């Protein structure tokens, strides 16, 4: 096609699409840092093999330039890119790796640590938990501090029935409680299958208390009558397993004392305390009291009843009842003990009961025999309440 002078060149669309606007591979935009590679610390700044090769290529091209009429200036630039490309790639990969020392190995290290000790008093069936102090707690309030307290919970088990807590200390991240909390009615079976959950929380006056951290101790780690000290890092809140067998759900425990008095010719029954009772009221508590019967009861005069303890699942009664009976007749009798929740305006709720006598078994039978064998000696035992106690004690 001929073109006249002064006429603009026109290119058809077909010719335009046929133009190779990007020949060859796309080259990355070079940065100034590519030409100043970072060498690993401690190694001499020697040139990489690619650089030596590039130098030889450059010298070869220079010699060719003197021999040949035209040298390719772009070839030297490509050789330089190849020389520093490998070094720049190593440097970029090294910069992408996080500094291990600059990060916490575990988020729980920021929640703080808790110092405490545990003692299982096997003779008295008690678990003593001494909360000593905490260090480096996570700040939960706007002033950069917290109002911490410690809460104990035995798992598995009813929530409010076995929760204990310390006092609250204000505006501190390093609280010192030095406070002992005690669980009563702890048996050897509990020490095998239960776990103590210790939670640290922040108390707020105008909103819900906030969880800081927790630690859990399987009670089987403890040896009877030996104090064990702990200094544990607090962890994030763990889910509670709610798939426990319902057959293991307890109604609570009761501590009973028995003594046959030779001087008074009768049986002295002591109702000392209850622990971990089932909650029967909407507020999550109960108003418990205890009734006792010595059966068979022909004259129906064996009923005794303690005072009502308001809004508690761990009541202390410390009351004694006397049954006038000949020692020889005790082997024919059964002591029925029932625990009730007092309600106003409606029928009282049955919580649980236990029977001691010649027809009982396990610890209940052993307790009765120990009373018969040891006159004038008070014998105390903890017993697990059950909702399967027969007799009229169910009807209030």
């Amino acid at each position: 096609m001929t073109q006249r002078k002064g006429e603009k060149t026109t290119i058809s669309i077909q010719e335009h699409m046929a133009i190779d606007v990007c020949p060859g591979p796309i080259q990355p935009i070079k940065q100034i840092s590519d030409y100043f590679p970072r060498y690993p610390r401690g190694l001499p700044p020697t040139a990489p093999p690619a650089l030596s090769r590039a130098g030889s290529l450059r010298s070869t091209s220079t010699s060719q330039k003197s021999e040949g009429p035209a040298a390719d200036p772009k070839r030297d630039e490509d050789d330089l890119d190849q020389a520093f490309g490998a070094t720049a790639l190593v440097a970029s990969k090294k910069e992408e790796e996080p500094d291990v020392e600059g990060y916490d190995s575990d988020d729980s290290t920021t929640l703080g640590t808790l110092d405490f000790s545990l003692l299982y008093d096997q003779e008295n069936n008690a678990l003593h938990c001494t909360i000593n102090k905490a260090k480096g707690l996570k700040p939960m309030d706007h002033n950069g501090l917290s109002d911490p307290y410690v809460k104990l919970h035995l798992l598995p088990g009813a929530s409010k029935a076995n929760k204990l807590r310390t006092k609250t200390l204000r505006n501190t991240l390093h609280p010192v409680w030095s406070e002992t909390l005690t669980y009563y009615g702890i048996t050897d079976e509990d020490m095998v299958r239960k776990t103590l959950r210790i939670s640290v929380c922040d108390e707020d006056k105008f909103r819900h208390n906030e969880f800081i951290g927790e630690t859990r101790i399987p009670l089987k780690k403890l040896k009877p009558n030996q104090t064990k000290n702990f200094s544990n890092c607090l962890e994030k809140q763990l889910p509670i397993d709610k798939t426990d067998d319902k057959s293991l759900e307890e109604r609570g425990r009761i501590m009973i004392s028995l003594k046959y008095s030779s001087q008074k010719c009768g049986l002295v029954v002591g109702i000392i305390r209850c622990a971990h009772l089932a909650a029967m009221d909407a507020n999550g508590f109960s108003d418990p009291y205890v009734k006792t019967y010595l059966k068979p009861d022909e004259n129906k005069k064996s009923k005794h009843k303690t005072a009502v303890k308001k809004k508690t699942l761990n009541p202390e009664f410390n009351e004694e009842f006397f049954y006038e009976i000949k020692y020889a007749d005790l082997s024919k009798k059964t002591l029925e003990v029932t625990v009730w929740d007092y309600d106003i305006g409606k029928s009282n709720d049955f919580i649980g009961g236990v029977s001691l006598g010649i027809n009982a078994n396990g610890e209940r039978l052993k307790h009765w025999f120990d009373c018969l064998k040891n006159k004038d000696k008070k014998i105390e035992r903890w017993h697990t309440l059950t909702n399967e106690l027969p007799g009229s004690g169910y009807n209030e």
Side-chain angles (χ1 to χ4, degrees):
M1 183 180 69
T2 59
Q3 182 179 357
R4 297 180 182 179
K5 188 176 181 180
E7 185 179 357
K8 292 184 179 180
T9 304
T10 59
I11 301 175
S12 65
I13 187 64
Q14 291 81 4
E15 293 177 328
H16 177 75
M17 295 300 294
I19 296 176
D20 189 358
V21 296
C22 186
I26 299 176
Q27 297 292 334
I29 300 175
K30 295 182 291 297
Q31 299 180 2
I32 189 65
S33 60
D34 293 342
Y35 299 99
F36 298 93
R38 297 180 181 179
Y39 297 100
R41 184 175 299 178
L43 296 180
T46 58
L51 181 61
S52 301
R53 178 177 175 271
S56 63
L57 290 175
R58 189 180 297 109
S59 61
T60 305
S61 62
T62 306
S63 60
Q64 289 178 355
K65 181 178 181 182
S66 59
E67 295 175 1
D72 189 1
K74 189 176 181 181
R75 184 174 180 179
D76 289 342
E77 186 177 348
D78 294 340
D79 292 339
L80 190 60
D81 292 340
Q82 293 177 4
F84 290 101
T87 307
L89 182 62
V90 173
S92 63
K93 286 185 177 180
K94 183 178 179 182
E95 291 176 356
E96 291 176 358
E97 295 177 359
D99 184 7
V100 177
E101 296 180 357
Y103 294 88
D104 293 327
S105 60
D106 189 354
D107 290 340
S108 65
T109 58
T110 63
L111 301 179
T113 60
L114 181 67
D115 295 348
F116 59 97
S117 63
L118 301 177
L119 170 63
Y120 173 48
D121 185 353
Q122 191 175 32
E123 182 179 356
N124 297 312
N125 296 104
L127 177 64
H128 303 288
C129 312
T130 301
I131 308 300
N132 296 319
K133 61 182 179 179
K135 294 178 291 186
L137 293 181
K138 179 181 179 181
M140 306 298 291
D141 298 336
H142 295 296
N143 59 1
L145 300 173
S146 295
D147 302 322
Y149 66 93
V150 176
K151 183 170 57 176
L152 306 183
H153 185 193
L154 278 178
L155 301 174
S159 177
K160 290 187 178 180
N162 54 36
K163 275 188 179 178
L164 303 175
R165 61 163 289 175
T166 66
K167 59 188 176 183
T168 301
L169 300 181
R170 302 291 178 185
N171 297 324
T172 178
L173 300 179
H174 310 281
V176 179
W177 289 281
S178 298
E179 191 172 341
T180 300
L181 307 174
T182 301
Y183 281 105
Y184 295 99
I186 301 298
T187 63
D188 291 341
E189 181 185 357
D190 293 329
M191 298 301 294
V192 173
R193 70 181 186 91
K194 284 187 177 288
T195 296
L196 179 64
R197 178 192 184 197
I198 306 178
S199 306
V200 181
C201 302
D202 170 61
E203 184 177 289
D204 286 321
K205 293 182 179 180
F206 305 105
R207 54 180 181 175
H208 292 295
N209 297 340
E210 295 180 290
F211 176 86
I212 297 178
E214 71 170 38
T215 183
R216 299 188 184 186
I217 304 296
L219 297 185
K220 60 184 178 182
K221 290 185 176 182
L222 305 180
K223 295 182 179 179
N225 306 315
Q226 293 185 17
T227 301
K228 187 169 184 179
N229 297 312
F230 297 86
S231 181
N232 290 9
C233 290
L234 297 176
E235 302 176 13
K236 294 181 179 180
Q237 192 166 13
L238 301 175
I240 298 178
D241 187 8
K242 298 183 179 181
T243 61
D244 298 318
D245 187 1
K246 295 299 181 180
S247 62
L248 297 177
E249 185 177 355
E250 298 173 354
R251 309 295 291 178
R253 311 278 176 85
I254 185 169
M255 190 177 193
I256 302 172
S257 68
L258 298 177
K259 183 182 75 171
Y260 184 82
S261 175
S262 301
Q263 184 179 0
K264 297 181 179 180
C265 295
L267 177 67
V268 181
V269 177
I271 304 300
I272 301 174
R273 67 191 308 157
C274 294
H276 317 156
L277 293 180
M280 308 302 291
D281 296 337
N283 59 6
F285 293 96
S286 293
D287 301 321
Y289 68 95
V290 179
K291 293 194 303 177
T292 64
Y293 294 87
L294 190 62
K295 296 189 176 182
D297 182 19
E298 294 83 3
N299 299 324
K300 296 185 178 180
K301 294 182 180 180
S302 69
K303 176 182 175 181
H304 291 283
K305 185 166 64 174
T306 68
V308 177
K309 302 296 180 179
K310 293 290 186 179
K311 197 178 179 181
T312 178
L313 300 176
N314 300 280
E316 292 188 43
F317 297 101
N318 294 316
E319 297 187 35
E320 289 187 344
F321 307 120
F322 179 75
Y323 291 99
E324 185 175 353
I325 185 174
K326 294 179 181 181
Y327 177 77
D329 293 338
L330 277 180
S331 59
K332 306 174 185 178
K333 295 290 186 178
T334 297
L335 178 68
E336 290 187 1
V337 181
T338 55
V339 183
W340 297 81
D341 169 55
Y342 177 75
D343 288 320
I344 299 177
K346 60 179 182 178
S347 298
N348 297 331
D349 298 318
F350 174 75
I351 297 178
V354 63
S355 61
L356 309 176
I358 196 67
N359 296 321
N361 52 38
E363 284 295 323
R364 295 170 291 174
L365 178 61
K366 187 176 184 298
H367 193 184
W368 190 256
F369 273 150
D370 289 344
C371 173
L372 298 180
K373 290 188 297 183
N374 301 277
K375 292 183 181 180
D376 300 312
K377 181 180 179 181
K378 181 186 291 187
I379 300 176
E380 298 177 350
R381 293 282 192 280
W382 280 97
H383 297 284
T384 300
L385 298 175
T386 169
N387 55 4
E388 297 177 356
L389 179 65
S392 60
Y394 273 86
N395 301 320
E396 179 65 341

